[in-house]
Each structure stands twice: as structure tokens, then as C-alpha cells.
């Protein structure tokens, strides 16, 4: 499962249902909302030129809250 952040209290978990005691899968509401955290490895031999977000769903609100780029030396 991907890690998700619950925006209301900044909790990070890979089991939102258990943390919030939510029963079932569909129709569950998360007070304050939640987002999926992604960690993507980049090729260290290439320079990052741009970052873009493309959405392909009409039923979901998609947004990029933040992006952090860390270069390890």
C-alpha cells in the first residue's frame, strides 16, 4: 500500500482505514482529506529539466501539494 498523509493531523500511514477506524472500502470519507506520498528514484546521471503532472480522471480532484528534489552527493 502507498503511504498516505491525513491532512487534518499530518499523520502518515499505509493503513488509513485502521488508523481512522473506517469500515468498508467505498464511500468512506476522510475528514480534512488525505493525499498519497510518492518517492521516485531519479537517474543520478541525468539533470532534471522539468516536472509535470497529467491527470486522466474526471471524477477525482488531483493536485500537487509539494515537490521536493534532493540531490545526494
Amino acid at each position: 500500500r502507498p503511504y498516505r498523509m491525513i491532512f487534518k493531523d499530518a499523520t502518515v500511514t499505509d493503513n488509513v482505514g485502521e488508523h481512522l477506524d473506517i469500515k468498508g472500502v467505498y464511500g468512506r470519507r476522510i475528514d480534512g482529506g488525505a493525499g498519497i506520498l510518492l518517492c521516485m528514484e531519479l537517474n543520478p546521471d541525468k539533470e532534471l529539466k522539468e516536472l509535470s503532472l497529467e491527470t486522466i480522471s474526471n471524477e477525482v480532484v488531483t493536485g500537487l501539494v509539494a515537490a521536493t528534489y534532493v540531490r545526494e552527493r
Side-chain angles (χ1 to χ4, degrees):
R1 290 185 200 166
Y3 279 94
R4 297 182 76 191
M5 175 180 273
I6 302 166
F7 297 139
K8 189 172 185 177
D9 62 5
T11 298
V12 175
T13 179
D14 66 346
N15 196 337
V16 172
E18 183 178 292
H19 177 76
L20 297 177
D21 196 30
I22 297 173
K23 306 294 184 231
V25 176
Y26 298 103
R28 60 189 196 174
R29 188 174 183 93
I30 299 172
D31 187 26
I36 297 173
L37 302 177
L38 299 176
C39 180
M40 298 183 294
E41 296 283 330
L42 300 178
N43 184 339
D45 298 328
K46 293 185 176 182
E47 184 175 320
L48 181 64
K49 182 178 176 183
E50 65 183 54
L51 175 70
S52 62
L53 175 69
E54 180 181 349
T55 60
I56 56 173
S57 176
N58 294 327
E59 296 119 10
V60 178
V61 176
T62 304
L64 180 62
V65 175
T68 303
Y69 174 70
V70 177
R71 170 172 265 167
E72 294 184 15
R73 297 179 196 260

